[in-house]
Amino acid sequence: MLYDNIKRICKEQGITISKMEIELEFPRSSICKWNENEPGIRKVQKVADYLHVSIEKLLEDSVPGA
């Protein structure tokens, strides 16, 4: 859910996840594992700030077709 939301928001903003990881100094391909392994709140906040969205927006449970 978390990774899927980040991926969608990045696509909407024309940002690649790998570019964001580099700019935030995260390990390569770390964000793609966030659906299985929950990251620390500070990392989620960094991503939210980078994308100019709230943490709640990243965590919301999106229902397809809703």
Side-chain angles (χ1 to χ4, degrees), residues 19-66:
K19 178 181 188 267
M20 181 173 60
E21 287 173 331
I22 290 166
E23 292 188 4
L24 293 176
E25 299 179 348
F26 288 179
R28 188 170 170 254
S29 300
S30 61
I31 293 176
C32 70
K33 299 173 184 141
W34 285 9
N35 276 351
E36 293 83 36
N37 305 316
E38 292 184 12
I41 191 69
R42 285 188 176 93
K43 286 189 175 187
V44 178
Q45 184 65 61
K46 278 186 166 185
V47 170
D49 291 345
Y50 184 88
L51 296 173
H52 307 290
V53 298
S54 66
I55 287 180
E56 291 80 12
K57 182 79 172 170
L58 297 180
L59 297 175
E60 70 186 8
D61 193 9
S62 56
V63 179

